[in-house]
Structures are given as structure tokens and as C-alpha cells.
């Protein structure tokens, strides 16, 4: 594996957590992966409202670009208003809590932000159309996001100096952008598909802000473009394992052989029957089966796979969220101990 993609975490979460208590969320995500059992992360708490949602949180990171909330969603502003200030305030609160619970921590630490293409599909221009409709606006947005992420990553490293910071870009709209499926403001048409080389190059530029440190791209939507993400430099691809189709298996095999790590969402993200969290080995049975079907060496599982919930845990109960993260760590251990 390449240095950039070869991080050794066995389990982690996607990003969002239930509730609005930053200290409780930080305590959970650090405690669930203590003693080397996985990778803690900077939790997101969208239940707090606009500015804590994934789009608003990332809008708060932008440099010389601002946003405010309209009934239709987030829209570009001329200056930082109440909504942008609230997003930045909540991020500061979350960083304070993370810093408190990572005193002396050394190891991998993940932070998440919405990627440039999902952000362009969600963030509106002043007239109400998505930024995706304007190639120049997309370039400006990606540049602003890159600058904001550089500053954000530096702040995380300052607060948790022993950590190796992993950057995860959330791109659930990426396939829709590539296939021309993003609907216009009227809803009666869709925006033109963006050229794959432009999508790939933009992602490469934004991922590059983390230097030689590890990177990942997450999507809980179907039809994840594995080959494109690998070429763009993503060290890991994170996705909902239940949405995988046979059509995508060849691309997954190629990615693994090229050194790309897979973060596999095998644990339900919403409160499930207790049986779903009762058998760690059963949760990763499909992963072993996939490895066998692809003819991959079972011994590479522990260095190629990270176990996660299927998506964020914002819609779960706090008790279930804690149980799901703990189960991810146990399932990863089962996979490492019994790869075949």
C-alpha cells in the first residue's frame, strides 16, 4: 500500500451523531475506539439545526465565501451573516470537546467535510439555481473549500498535536453530478453532467490539501465511481456495503490491488433489532464472501478494510449510536482474527 492510503485503522464512524451535546458526542467517538480499536473522529451534530447540518458546517469552512439559509436550502451571501457565524461557532464547540477528550492522544483522527461536487449541487447561487449550473462558480467554490480545509486541518493538528489527521470528503451527490441527475431549482429539468476529467481534477486538488496524510471519500449513494476516486487520489473509499452490485466488483478488486483502502458500511445506521449487533462475525460475513469471489488474499483483509456504519448515525438513538460504534470495532477484530 502507498504511504498515503496505508492507514491502519480497523473501524470508525462516518461523521454524524445524534443529539446536540458536543462533549457527549466527543466522549462517545473517542471512547468507542480507545486502545487502538479504531479511528476516532470529529463528530457532527446536525440535530442542532442549520449550521450544524453537513452543508452548513462546510459552508462555515469556506474562505471569502459565505452562505445563509433560505426555505430551499443554503444560498451564497455577500458577507458572513447569522447562519455562517452559527456554523463556525458550533464547529468551534465541537473542536473544544474533541480537544478535551484527546489529551495525549497519538494515532489516526478523522475529520469530515462535504466535497466540492456535492457542495456545488446543494449550495445555491443568488438567483436560486445550484452553483453546479455555473462552471466558474464551481471553480471558485472548490478553491474556497481547499483554502478553508487547509486552515481547518491546521487547527485540528494544533489542538491534537499527536494525531495523524485523516481528511474525509463526503460526496453523496457525486454520481448524480457525473450522470446529469441533479435537478434544477424548478425541478422540471436536470443540470448537464459534468465532464469526468473536471470532476476528477477538482477532487484531486481538494484532497491534496492534506499533503501526504491519509484521505478518504465517502458516499452512501448507489453506483460509487471507484475508479475515478482512485485516480483522484483518494486513499480510501467509504460506502454502504449493502448497495454494492456485481457490476462494481471488478472496480473494487482493481482498487484494492492498487492499494486503495475500503471503508465498508456493514452496520445499520439506524436503530436496528438487537440481533443486528449480536454477532460481530456475522456482520462481516459478506466481506469475506466478496474477498473470496474476487480471488483476493484473505490475509490482506485487515490492512485493506475499515468497518463502519452504513451511513451517519444522526438518526439513531444515542444508545444505539454507542452500540453501533462498539460493534464496528468488534466486527473488525473478528475479520482480522478470522479472515477466511
Amino acid at each position: 500500500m502507498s504511504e498515503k492510503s496505508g492507514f491502519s485503522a480497523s473501524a470508525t464512524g462516518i461523521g454524524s451523531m445524534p443529539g446536540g451535546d458536543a462533549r457527549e458526542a466527543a466522549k462517545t467517538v473517542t471512547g468507542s475506539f480507545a486502545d487502538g480499536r479504531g479511528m476516532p473522529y470529529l463528530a457532527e451534530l446536525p440535530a442542532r439545526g442549520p449550521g450544524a447540518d453537513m452543508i452548513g458546517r462546510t459552508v462555515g469552512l469556506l474562505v471569502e465565501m459565505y452562505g445563509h439559509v433560505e426555505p430551499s436550502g443554503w444560498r451564497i451571501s455577500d458577507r458572513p451573516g447569522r447562519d455562517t457565524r452559527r456554523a463556525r461557532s458550533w464547529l468551534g464547540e465541537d473542536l473544544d470537546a474533541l480537544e478535551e477528550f484527546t489529551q495525549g492522544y497519538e494515532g489516526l483522527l478523522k475529520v469530515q467535510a462535504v466535497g466540492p461536487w456535492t457542495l456545488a449541487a446543494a449550495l445555491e447561487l443568488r438567483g436560486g439555481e445550484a452553483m453546479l449550473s455555473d462552471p466558474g462558480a464551481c471553480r471558485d467554490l472548490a478553491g474556497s473549500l481547499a483554502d478553508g480545509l487547509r486552515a481547518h486541518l491546521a487547527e485540528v493538528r494544533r489542538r491534537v498535536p499527536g494525531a495523524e489527521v485523516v481528511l474525509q470528503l463526503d460526496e453523496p451527490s457525486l454520481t448524480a453530478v457525473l450522470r446529469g441527475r441533479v435537478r434544477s431549482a424548478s425541478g422540471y429539468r436536470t443540470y448537464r453532467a459534468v465532464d469526468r476529467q473536471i470532476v476528477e481534477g477538482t477532487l484531486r486538488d481538494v484532497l491534496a490539501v492534506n499533503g501526504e496524510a491519509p484521505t478518504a471519500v465517502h458516499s452512501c449513494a448507489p453506483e460509487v465511481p471507484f475508479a475515478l476516486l482512485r485516480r483522484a487520489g483518494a486513499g480510501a473509499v467509504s460506502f454502504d456495503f449493502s448497495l454494492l452490485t456485481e457490476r462494481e466488483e471488478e472496480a473494487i478488486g482493481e482498487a484494492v490491488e492498487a492499494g486503495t483502502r475500503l471503508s465498508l458500511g456493514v452496520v445499520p445506521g439506524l436503530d436496528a433489532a438487537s440481533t443486528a449487533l449480536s454477532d460481530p462475525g456475522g456482520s462481516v460475513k459478506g466481506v469475506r464472501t466478496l474477498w473470496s469471489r474476487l480471488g483476493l488474499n484473505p490475509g490482506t483483509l485487515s490492512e485493506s478494510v475499515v468497518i463502519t456504519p452504513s451511513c451517519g448515525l444522526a438518526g439513531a438513538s444515542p444508545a444505539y449510536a454507542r452500540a453501533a460504534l462498539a460493534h464496528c470495532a468488534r466486527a473488525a477484530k473478528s475479520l482480522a482474527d478470522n479472515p477466511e
Side-chain angles (χ1 to χ4, degrees), residues 50 68-75 82-83 122 124 128 185:
H68 67 277
V69 178
E70 293 280 344
S72 54
W74 281 87
R75 185 171 293 182
R82 178 183 61 187
D83 296 328
E124 298 174 354

Side-chain angles (χ1 to χ4, degrees), residues 15 30 43 55 90 111 124 148 160 170 173 200 233 245 269 274 284 304 333:
T30 54
I55 299 299
W90 272 330
V111 299
E124 298 174 354
V160 193
D170 293 325
S173 298
E200 181 183 322
T245 65
S274 58
V284 290
S304 299
K333 186 176 186 305

Side-chain angles (χ1 to χ4, degrees), residues 251-277:
I252 282 185
E254 291 174 354
V256 171
E257 289 177 345
T260 304
R261 203 167 175 85
L262 303 178
S263 291
L264 304 180
V266 300
V267 178
L270 296 173
D271 290 51
S274 58
T275 53
L277 303 183

Side-chain angles (χ1 to χ4, degrees), residues 19-296:
D21 187 327
R23 291 187 74 256
E24 184 61 31
K27 181 180 178 182
T28 297
V29 299
T30 54
S32 298
F33 302 121
D35 305 322
R37 291 180 293 172
M39 177 165 52
Y41 55 96
L42 177 62
E44 303 163 354
L45 302 173
R48 292 181 296 198
D53 60 296
M54 60 185 260
I55 299 299
R57 187 181 185 91
T58 303
V59 167
L61 293 174
L62 298 177
V63 172
E64 296 183 357
M65 193 174 282
Y66 315 104
H68 67 277
V69 178
E70 293 280 344
S72 54
W74 281 87
R75 185 171 293 182
I76 285 295
S77 299
D78 293 322
R79 60 185 63 86
R82 178 183 61 187
D83 296 328
T84 298
R85 288 194 296 269
R86 184 168 51 206
R88 292 173 176 174
S89 175
W90 272 330
L91 177 58
E93 184 180 310
D94 294 336
L95 286 167
D96 289 343
L98 181 71
E99 183 178 4
E100 177 183 348
F101 287 97
T102 52
Q103 294 295 309
Y105 175 76
E106 295 183 354
L108 294 166
L109 176 67
K110 182 164 69 70
V111 299
Q112 308 82 218
V114 176
W117 294 109
T118 294
L119 197 59
L123 190 56
E124 298 174 354
L125 296 165
R126 291 173 182 84
E129 293 294 342
M131 295 191 81
L132 188 65
S133 65
D134 184 334
C138 289
R139 286 192 295 273
D140 291 344
L141 180 63
S144 175
L145 176 61
D147 289 343
L149 284 173
R150 283 190 193 92
H152 179 48
L153 293 165
E155 175 69 4
V156 174
R157 291 186 174 103
R158 184 187 69 78
R159 288 172 177 261
V160 193
E164 181 177 15
V165 181
V166 178
L167 171 62
Q168 173 183 301
L169 296 181
D170 293 325
E171 283 282 15
S173 298
L174 182 59
T175 299
V177 167
L178 288 166
R179 303 199 174 200
R181 296 174 182 167
V182 178
R183 293 207 165 272
S184 66
S186 68
Y188 294 122
R189 62 183 180 86
T190 56
Y191 298 116
R192 182 179 302 174
V194 180
D195 181 88
R196 298 181 75 89
Q197 289 187 318
I198 293 174
V199 170
E200 181 183 322
T202 301
L203 282 169
R204 183 181 298 110
D205 291 345
V206 177
L207 288 167
V209 303
N210 210 28
E212 291 302 311
T215 58
V217 176
H218 167 73
S219 174
C220 51
E223 303 175 277
V224 176
F226 293 97
L228 183 150
L229 294 176
R230 176 168 54 85
R231 291 193 304 270
V237 179
S238 171
F239 61 99
D240 182 344
F241 188 69
S242 70
L243 299 179
L244 189 65
T245 65
E246 288 187 20
R247 190 170 59 249
E248 295 158 308
E249 289 185 2
E250 182 179 351
I252 282 185
E254 291 174 354
V256 171
E257 289 177 345
T260 304
R261 203 167 175 85
L262 303 178
S263 291
L264 304 180
V266 300
V267 178
L270 296 173
D271 290 51
S274 58
T275 53
L277 303 183
S278 63
D279 180 10
S283 293
V284 290
K285 181 179 179 181
V287 180
R288 296 187 182 97
T289 301
L290 173 65
W291 235 244
S292 174
R293 196 158 59 235
L294 292 176
L296 296 169

